[in-house]
Amino acid sequence: MTSPTPAYDALYLAPHLDDVVLSCGGQITQATAVGERVLIATIMAGDPPSGELSAYATGLHDRWALAHEAVAARRAEDEIAGTLVGAGVWHGRVPDCIYRRDSATGEPFYTADADLFGAVAPTELASGGLLDEITAVLQALPSAKKIYAPFAVGNHVDHQLVRQAAEQAFGASLIYYEDYPYVQWPDLLETLLAQEAAAGRTWQTQLVKVSDTAVSTRCAAILAYVSQISTFFADEADLRAQVGDYVTAVGGERLWYSHSLSPAHNAA
């Protein structure tokens, strides 16, 4: 029996509404420009649960200038960004970690910047918990020839969860993208690679060459996430300078894949 044709050429898994465009906007722009079908699936795009937000989440809303319907506004930003790079977008219902609470105690799991880059709450990793829920969500997504997951550079808890769920859902065939801008921060990539080596995992890289036009489109799409710009960049000029400098330093947009896989699994 002939296998059905995959629905997409490429499926990019995003923890948050901006991660894939921040990291892979150039390669996606080039792929869609030649007719490839690309879907960006954002897992943590759900509305906050009912009730009062934590002080930490409220503070972030204030910084984003999104006091009301913040997540809906961010989904709208993602729609614009997807259009700019030529990709379809899909929004999951899992709330961002800043909104998630322990169902038994009602206490928020993550209440400070440091919590975002530490250990995932044990309850979320437990059998039948959020990790298993996300794995099931990923398995139900449309099929694709290639599936890209975050490498989890920087150790953000939601990036860890999506990576682990993707590995449970799709196994060793995954391709990993570098989590930008965390990957340009000192020592974060080196720390992750040391952890991977200690766990007995080895990796190869492949560079996707991206044109100046594709980099410019990537920057324009990042700018569509108006609420998020101040988190990482001073202004548009700073954004374009940082992205351009990193692409130049690396030689493109870098992908990672398990040493046991053939480069044929990856985008050229």
Side-chain angles (χ1 to χ4, degrees):
M1 174 182 269
T2 303
S3 299
T5 301
Y8 289 92
D9 293 294
L11 170 63
Y12 286 79
L13 305 176
H16 305 116
L17 295 156
D18 66 1
D19 287 320
V20 160
V21 168
L22 273 164
S23 305
C24 309
Q27 63 192 267
I28 293 172
T29 296
Q30 292 185 162
T32 59
V34 296
E36 291 193 20
R37 299 154 298 156
V38 176
L39 179 66
I40 300 171
T42 302
I43 310 309
M44 283 77 173
D47 292 322
S50 59
E52 186 176 355
L53 296 178
S54 70
Y56 180 59
T58 299
L60 289 176
H61 282 202
D62 291 343
R63 187 175 76 193
W64 300 339
L66 293 176
H68 302 289
E69 301 295 335
V71 179
R74 294 192 62 193
R75 289 193 294 260
E77 293 174 344
D78 192 53
E79 295 276 359
I80 296 169
T83 297
L84 288 170
V85 299
V89 299
W90 177 93
H91 296 148
R93 297 182 179 179
V94 175
D96 189 300
C97 67
I98 66 171
Y99 306 123
R100 299 199 298 270
R101 295 177 178 269
D102 188 312
S103 60
T105 67
E107 292 299 311
F109 288 125
Y110 311 100
T111 60
D113 287 349
D115 294 343
L116 304 187
F117 303 97
V120 177
T123 301
E124 298 195 320
L125 295 175
S127 178
L130 183 60
L131 177 60
D132 288 345
E133 176 186 336
I134 296 171
T135 300
V137 168
L138 298 185
Q139 290 171 330
L141 287 172
S143 62
K145 295 177 183 177
K146 303 173 193 172
I147 302 174
Y148 299 78
F151 202 22
V153 178
N155 211 41
H156 191 293
V157 293
D158 283 345
H159 292 231
Q160 294 180 59
L161 280 165
V162 172
R163 174 179 169 176
Q164 290 180 51
E167 289 171 346
Q168 290 184 172
F170 305 117
S173 63
L174 284 169
I175 306 162
Y176 296 82
Y177 62 83
E178 296 186 331
D179 314 63
Y180 187 87
Y182 304 127
V183 69
Q184 72 179 5
W185 295 1
D187 302 326
L188 293 187
L189 177 60
E190 290 74 14
T191 297
L192 174 62
L193 292 176
Q195 293 169 345
E196 294 289 314
R201 295 187 290 264
T202 57
W203 298 88
Q204 295 186 36
T205 63
Q206 183 175 12
L207 285 176
V208 180
K209 301 292 186 181
V210 287
S211 67
D212 291 344
T213 298
V215 173
S216 181
T217 300
R218 171 180 166 181
C219 291
I222 295 170
L223 286 165
Y225 299 101
V226 177
S227 66
Q228 304 301 300
I229 297 304
S230 65
T231 300
F232 300 119
F233 309 104
D235 52 28
E236 178 178 349
D238 180 49
L239 184 158
R240 291 186 179 276
Q242 287 195 46
V243 172
D245 288 350
Y246 188 74
V247 169
T248 298
V250 172
E253 293 178 354
R254 187 165 49 192
L255 301 172
W256 295 79
Y257 58 98
S258 170
H259 187 78
S260 63
L261 290 180
S262 163
H265 283 272
N266 294 269

